[in-house]
Structures are given as structure tokens and as C-alpha cells.
Amino acid sequence: MEFGHIRRSEHLPARIAGQIARDITEGRMRPGEKLPTEHFLAKALGVSRSVVREAIAQLRNEGLVETRQGVGAFVTEAHARPIRIEQDDLADRQSFRDLFQLRVPLEIEAAGLAALHHTADDLQRIDEALASMSGGEKWTAEGIVADLAFHRAVAAATGNEYFSVFIGFIAERISLAIDAARAAAVLEEIVEVTIEEHVALRDAIASRDPKRAREAMKMHLLGAAKRLDLTLESY
Amino acid sequence: MEFGHIRRSEHLPARIAGQIARDITEGRMRPGEKLPTEHFLAKALGVSRSVVREAIAQLRNEGLVETRQGVGAFVTEAHARPIRIEQDDLADRQSFRDLFQLRVPLEIEAAGLAALHHTADDLQRIDEALASMSGGEKWTAEGIVADLAFHRAVAAATGNEYFSVFIGFIAERISLAIDAARAAAVLEEIVEVTIEEHVALRDAIASRDPKRAREAMKMHLLGAAKRLDLTLESY
DNA sequence: CATATAAGGTTATCAGACAACCTTACAATG
DNA sequence: CATTGTAAGGTTGTCTGATAACCTTATATG
């Protein structure tokens, strides 16, 4: 039997921060507007100033407000706020597949862009990642790290920071989920196939052929999906 | 002349949190490990417990640690941490284009998935967004909101939460950047073209034709890029 | 007019205390 | 012996009040 943790009333500062955050994101407080003072909020909400301070600290951390000592706290401009996606464990098969599905078009596009834009340094990093995967023995934790490094290297070769960061995040999550779920179940053979596909992709990038690079990445990811027993439509 | 703000030593709690965050991300502290107590850290760092608490609150907010009252603070498992990308304003043309370039494959894929998976409710939301754009007068702030709503509705129709959230974030940033940069410069004609393209996309989705939906989204985004004077390779 | 200076308000930090909660050890109970 | 109750100690959560650092504005001051 598993009950999970019951939170009696879920962290006071977080609730207050959530309330204010909703006020901001739903437009009841507009960028530039000044929040009430900490003293006022504490009185108004019936909590101590510590709690209010922690709530505001959270908002600042989420990029929703800026504080200036001696002046006050102000709602930030929307475009300066970080992109942030909560991560729910990928425990269930559904969300794992969904994230994988998101990854596919990103990586395909990245492969094409990498073929067009890679520098000599980029290619060298790709080759290094490739070597460290071939060198290793099996599909161990090390192998997963090497695989991740390869995909990161390709993403970096796009010259587009966003691809780099997004793919880095997503691929890492997927790797971790695989690691946890089925590291033991996979076989050496898979590594061989993976390496083959990596090499094909690497060569397409090296010859600056975006069409072939996209195709190679597509084949690779579809192959990976199949090996993971995922069915992806639309391809 | 613009100096920007000089912070004598940039927010004590943030520096402490940054130090601990580095310890975690660079592997000096491993998942599951317990942090020193707040009292200890305060003594060790020569600051008050308030500062330490705020630092730990920030780490908790970033998903790097979990705190349990009466027990302590612990480094979280890596896969539970949120995806987070700092946003640097899209001020320069380069990063604006880069983000747009990221958006393209995501939205194309989303269109295809929407064609396959949309429900009646999804389609209704798409139509509503479409109507509110046609109804409005010009390419005003309202028009931008309606455009954003349309793209969100399509992303939601994929049935894949990740597409929804990612595209929502990215499209919003791009909208905001456009709003700031060139709202004044765009003309009514553009709205007409945009609506035409939206309708074509909507019909392709409604007829559950992923190939046509992808093509329609591709045309739409490439058209938008052209109107924004962006050149995107690889298509 | 330009520059100091003073005053008041606000956030940042400090200090100490108590409350709420968890873990552990140990006694009590059956 | 196994289970339950109880007490103790440790740790985070919250409260209170005070001081420091900082900003803005108004008011002298030359």
C-alpha cells in the first residue's frame, strides 16, 4: 500500500507565491506594477514577514518579480521570464513517449542544421563522442553518457543555442528514464546498431548534406523508438 | 551612457545557493545526500540563518533539493528537476531568429499530430481562436493574442502535453518580441494572409490529414518568417 | 542653479525564540 | 516476542523585533 505524502497545507510561502504568481500571469497585476510592501502583505495575509519574504524570493527566482532594496518589488516584463517546464518523472509510459515524440522533430532539424553549420571543432567533438562509445564495452552507464554526449555534440553543431539547450535537457531526461527503467534489459547488439546509425549520421553531417543528415537522424530515432517499443505516428 | 546596476556583491543568498548548486550539478554532492543543517551552514558561512534559509529555498525552487521539516534538506534525483532556460530578451536579431528556427519543426510536427489526435473540443477551441482573430480589427495587441491562442490551440490538440507547454512558451516569447519590436510596422494585409493560412491549417487538421497539416503549418511559418525578414535554411 | 544634507520609507540581514515535525530509543503492554 | 505508547533530541517552519543598507524626496545651502 502506498499513500504518498500528505501535505497538511503545502508550505505557506509557496501558497502565497502561487497566489501572487496567478495574479501576475493572469493579468491582474501588470508588468512594472509595484507589489505591496512586505510589512503590508504580512499584515494583510496574517503571516510573518519571513513568510512573505520567502514567497517573494520564490517569485523573484521564477523571474516574475524584481526586488530593489529600499524601493520595493516590481512585476517584471514578461519577455524576460525564463522558460520553465515542470518535470513529472516520466514514470508512466505515456509521458515518456510524449517526451520522446517531442524530441524527434527537434533532433531531425538539428541534424540538418548541423550539416549546414558545423565547424571543424564541432565535428571533432562529434567524433570524440563517437569514439568513446565505440571504445566502451557495453550499454552501461558509461555507454549512456557517451550516447548523450553524441547527441549533445550534434545539437551544439547547429550553432543555435536553443537547440543545444533544449535537446540537452530533453535527451538527458530520456537517458535517465531509460537508465532507470531498462538498463539491464538491453543488449550489446543494440549498441552496435546505435553506433552504426551514429556513424551514418556523422558522415552525413561531415559531408554537409542536410537532407541526408535529417534522414539519418530520423532513421536513428525511429530505430531507437522501435528498440524501446515505442510507436510514433506521423512518420 | 549606460552602466547597468552594480551590485556590491550580488545578493548573499543567491551566491550561496549558486555555490551549492554548483556542488550538486558538478557532482560533488550526489542525489539523496543530506545537506548540512541550516544552523551549521549559517555558522560555517558566517551569515544568519535567514540567509541560509533563503538560499535553500532557492535551491528547492530550482528542484535541486527537497526539504522535509524536522529532517533536513536532501539533493533530489536528477530526473525530477524542471527544465529551465534563462531568457535573454531576444533583443538581438540573432537570438530571435534562433528561437524562431527552433519553433518551426516543433509546430510542424504539432500540426501533424493535431490532425491525427484532435478531439471535437480541440477543434472548437481552434475555431474560436480563429474567429476572434477574424473578428478583431487589426494587427493590434489583441490580434497578437488571438494569433497566440490559435497556435496554442493547435499545440493542445496534439494531446501531448509537452508540445503544448513548449510551444506555448516559445510562441509567447516570439509574440512578445514582435510586439515590442515591430507592432507599429506591420500592416492590415498581413493579418489577412495570416488568417488565410490559419484557415488552411485548420481545415487540414479538421480533415485529419497530417501530411497536409504539416505542409500548411510549414507554409504558414515560412510565410511568417518571410514577413519578418528572417531567412531560415533547411526548408 | 547645482550640490549637500536630512528625513522617511523599503528591502536586506541579523538574532533569538517557539512551533511543528521527524526519527530514534526505550519502556510498557499484550 | 511483537506491538504499541512515550519521551527525548534534532531539524525545518514560523514568528517577533531590531538594525543595516539603500533609495527617493524634500529641504537647505552655497
Side-chain angles (χ1 to χ4, degrees), chain A residues 8 36-38 49 53 60 67-72:
Chain A
R8 40 170 59 263
T37 71
E38 294 176 354
R49 210 186 129 211
R53 275 193 62 73
R60 184 179 46 215
T67 60
R68 288 187 308 177
Q69 183 172 348
V71 186

Side-chain angles (χ1 to χ4, degrees), chain A residues 11-21 45 47 51-52 55 59:
Chain A
H11 205 43
L12 214 40
R15 276 193 334 203
I16 294 174
Q19 180 56 53
I20 300 177
L45 299 172
V47 299
V51 171
V52 172
L59 293 172

Side-chain angles (χ1 to χ4, degrees), chain A:
Chain A
M1 188 106 73
E2 173 63 66
F3 280 103
H5 288 193
I6 337 161
R7 302 223 162 293
R8 40 170 59 263
S9 41
E10 186 84 37
H11 205 43
L12 214 40
R15 276 193 334 203
I16 294 174
Q19 180 56 53
I20 300 177
R22 249 167 288 140
D23 287 344
I24 293 174
T25 55
E26 293 170 11
R28 285 185 293 283
M29 301 201 68
R30 310 198 67 87
E33 196 169 331
K34 182 176 177 302
L35 269 64
T37 71
E38 294 176 354
H39 270 112
F40 179 89
L41 280 175
K43 270 283 193 294
L45 299 172
V47 299
S48 79
R49 210 186 129 211
S50 318
V51 171
V52 172
R53 275 193 62 73
E54 187 165 326
I56 290 179
Q58 180 176 336
L59 293 172
R60 184 179 46 215
N61 190 249
E62 290 169 355
L64 289 172
V65 309
E66 263 181 350
T67 60
R68 288 187 308 177
Q69 183 172 348
V71 186
F74 302 83
V75 180
T76 54
E77 298 298 326
H79 57 72
R81 298 171 195 163
I83 294 176
R84 184 192 168 110
I85 286 113
E86 296 301 330
Q87 198 68 8
D88 32 26
D89 273 355
L90 304 189
D92 54 309
R93 193 132 184 83
Q94 167 80 24
S95 46
F96 179 78
R97 202 200 74 144
D98 282 356
L99 190 59
F100 198 97
Q101 204 167 39
L102 178 73
R103 176 190 187 181
V104 172
L106 280 178
E107 292 236 35
I108 291 177
E109 182 71 8
L113 291 173
L116 289 171
H117 293 143
H118 77 267
T119 65
D121 278 1
D122 290 329
L123 197 58
Q124 190 184 333
R125 264 191 296 278
I126 290 175
D127 284 338
E128 281 167 10
L130 210 44
S132 86
M133 191 163 185
S134 312
E137 293 91 57
K138 290 207 170 187
W139 191 259
T140 60
E142 269 180 41
I144 290 181
V145 169
D147 179 68
L148 188 56
F150 177 78
H151 284 270
R152 275 193 210 275
V154 172
T158 61
N160 183 328
E161 185 95 19
Y162 290 107
F163 276 92
S164 227
V165 176
F166 271 82
I167 290 177
F169 264 114
I170 294 173
E172 183 181 30
R173 290 318 133 89
I174 289 180
S175 291
L176 288 170
I178 292 176
D179 188 27
R182 49 178 59 217
V186 286
L187 307 176
E188 187 166 356
E189 177 199 1
I190 292 182
V191 183
E192 298 305 325
V193 176
T194 299
I195 291 178
E196 265 177 44
E197 290 169 353
H198 279 189
V199 170
L201 174 55
R202 179 253 176 236
D203 288 342
I205 290 174
S207 43
R208 299 204 174 274
D209 183 341
K211 198 154 180 298
R212 224 176 84 216
R214 292 171 65 94
E215 200 57 35
M217 179 64 93
K218 183 168 153 182
M219 285 302 118
H220 174 44
L221 290 178
L222 260 50
K226 195 171 179 186
R227 290 191 285 276
L228 291 168
D229 247 340
L230 295 177
T231 55
L232 303 174
E233 324 90 330
S234 182
Y235 283 102

Side-chain angles (χ1 to χ4, degrees), chain B residues 200-201 203-205 207 209-217:
Chain B
L201 174 54
D203 290 341
I205 290 174
S207 42
D209 183 342
K211 198 154 181 297
R212 224 176 85 215
R214 293 171 64 94
E215 200 57 34
M217 179 64 93

Side-chain angles (χ1 to χ4, degrees), chain B residues 189-216:
Chain B
E189 178 202 358
I190 292 182
V191 184
E192 299 305 325
V193 177
T194 299
I195 291 179
E196 264 177 45
E197 290 169 354
H198 278 189
V199 169
L201 174 54
R202 178 254 176 233
D203 290 341
I205 290 174
S207 42
R208 300 204 174 275
D209 183 342
K211 198 154 181 297
R212 224 176 85 215
R214 293 171 64 94
E215 200 57 34

